Amino acid sequence: MILVTGGAGFIGANFVLDWLGLEGEPVLNLDKLTYAGNLASLAALSGDARHVFVQGDIGDAALVGPLLACHRPRAVVNFAAESHVDRSIHGPAEFVQTNIVGTFNLLESVRVYWGGLAETDKQAFRFLHVSTDEVFGSLGTGDPAFSETTPYAPNSPYSASKAASDHLVRAYHHTYGLPVLTTNCSNNYGPYQFPEKLIPLMIHNALAGKPLPIYGDGKNVRDWLYVGDHCSAIRAVLARGRLGETYNIGGCNEKTNLEVVHTICALLDERAPGARPYAELVTYVSDRPGHDRRYAIDAGKIMAELGWRPAESFETGMRKTVAWYLEHQDWVAQVVSGEYRQWLATNYGEARA
């Protein structure tokens, strides 16, 4: 069995579904079920004895310690995090609590559990920490992509809290010998993503005939990684990654936010045409504070060492993603709550919510 934390969130749920479908090894899934955690994303596993779900906080040592002792996982894959820049600007305390204090408490619980294992089990154990490229800061137009040796330079409360968690994971390896692995990924997209993030937000608003709000001039660049490719990379790192190492995971797809939105509009014009082209809904809003201009990932290390490559291009991944959201409007309707609408109003203005 493996323990997956944050396994009801966007990437975590995709990972759990893929893991059980491809590996078949049982999963102990620990998730606090905050606004972005959704058990409906795991509905396909209802009644599956290989999936054991526990609602709880990674920072709750009184819960995590006994769970580890009872289920005896051979690995921990840590997705649990507050993960949205805009929310971190309006409420940084939750990000510090979950991403820093929570990760520390989880590491402490895992260290105690790992220390009590038989020697062969200790050697086989892995703690894989899932992080972000945002810890590296912002790139200029001609700057080389982020590598594993790029200095950390976080620019938002979110990225600063993730950077701190990365440092804690590294310290637990070098200080205590905990067998850790860290991955830093670029922007993910795909099924089951909470519609506060760019791609599902644009799909949701377009279908509702609402404005498509774009920060600033829309020319901020991100590398886009299809979530299924991210999951396959994590499986490769967990199976074959070198202890104590970090691996950058990217989709090799640098796009401006405006390019992403126009791609969505074109796909919706094709699949679900409205009364007018969806691109006419594009609306520019004031840029957010400290908005990083460009992210880009150099994934050469994971490709060379572990033989991983993204299977999806931006075009194929986006086509799959738009199709999924069109076919799962019931899932979207379920997660779009009053709290979500209030968040939209806070970030984009009442007129655009």
Side-chain angles (χ1 to χ4, degrees), residues 54 61 71-72 81 86 122 162 177 196 237 293 329 343 345:
V54 176
H71 294 277
R72 301 184 63 80
D86 292 339
K122 285 183 73 172
K162 286 299 289 184
E196 65 181 356
V237 173
R293 192 62 171 173
Q329 287 297 295
W343 175 85

Side-chain angles (χ1 to χ4, degrees), residues 26-315:
V27 171
L28 172 62
N29 186 348
L30 176 66
D31 195 293
K32 192 176 178 180
L33 292 183
T34 58
Y35 73 94
N38 187 359
L39 286 179
S41 303
L42 299 165
L45 301 178
S46 178
D48 191 331
R50 300 172 302 166
H51 180 238
V52 179
F53 180 80
V54 176
Q55 182 176 357
D57 191 331
I58 59 171
D60 185 354
L63 170 67
V64 176
L67 279 177
L68 292 167
C70 175
H71 294 277
R72 301 184 63 80
R74 68 170 184 88
V76 175
V77 183
N78 180 35
F79 292 100
E82 293 287 344
S83 65
H84 196 255
V85 174
D86 292 339
R87 285 182 182 267
S88 80
I89 292 170
H90 293 290
E94 291 182 34
F95 288 73
V96 171
Q97 185 61 40
T98 296
N99 298 351
I100 302 176
V101 179
T103 300
F104 162 71
N105 287 332
L106 176 63
L107 284 165
E108 275 290 279
S109 296
V110 170
R111 180 171 71 91
V112 171
Y113 164 71
W114 172 75
L117 294 175
E119 192 57 35
T120 54
D121 293 333
K122 285 183 73 172
Q123 292 296 322
F125 185 82
R126 297 290 183 270
F127 181 97
L128 194 156
H129 176 65
V130 180
S131 190
T132 171
D133 60 356
E134 297 193 37
V135 299
F136 299 121
S138 184
L139 293 171
T141 302
D143 291 341
F146 299 134
S147 73
E148 289 79 3
T149 58
T150 299
Y152 276 30
N155 292 321
S156 70
Y158 162 57
S159 56
S161 67
K162 286 299 289 184
S165 70
D166 293 4
H167 291 321
L168 284 169
V169 172
R170 173 186 169 87
Y172 269 65
H173 175 66
H174 287 275
T175 302
Y176 303 112
L178 191 68
V180 308
L181 300 152
T182 298
T183 58
N184 295 88
C185 69
S186 56
N187 280 34
N188 278 224
Y189 68 99
Y192 300 111
Q193 189 170 28
F194 190 81
E196 65 181 356
K197 299 295 179 79
L198 178 67
I199 289 173
L201 173 63
M202 295 300 132
I203 296 171
H204 177 68
N205 275 19
L207 292 174
K210 295 180 179 180
L212 307 181
I214 297 179
Y215 284 131
D217 62 7
K219 294 181 180 179
N220 298 75
V221 175
R222 299 293 182 263
D223 173 51
W224 291 94
L225 173 66
Y226 187 68
V227 67
D229 285 330
H230 187 193
C231 293
S232 71
I234 292 171
R235 293 195 301 272
V237 173
L238 185 62
R240 304 187 300 279
R242 290 186 290 129
L243 292 185
E245 292 290 317
T246 63
Y247 293 89
N248 282 356
I249 305 170
C252 305
N253 292 301
E254 284 189 59
K255 303 288 181 184
T256 67
N257 288 344
L258 198 55
E259 286 178 303
V260 172
V261 173
H262 279 291
T263 298
I264 292 168
C265 291
L267 287 169
L268 289 175
D269 285 338
E270 174 189 321
R271 293 289 305 268
R276 57 178 178 152
Y278 288 105
E280 293 183 12
L281 296 171
V282 169
T283 304
Y284 294 92
V285 298
S286 298
D287 210 353
R288 71 185 180 202
H291 197 179
D292 291 336
R293 192 62 171 173
R294 173 176 168 248
Y295 303 147
I297 280 281
D298 176 356
K301 179 177 177 178
I302 189 174
M303 292 178 180
E305 287 192 14
L306 306 182
W308 174 85
R309 295 283 190 286
E312 302 294 341
S313 67
F314 182 73
E315 290 71 24

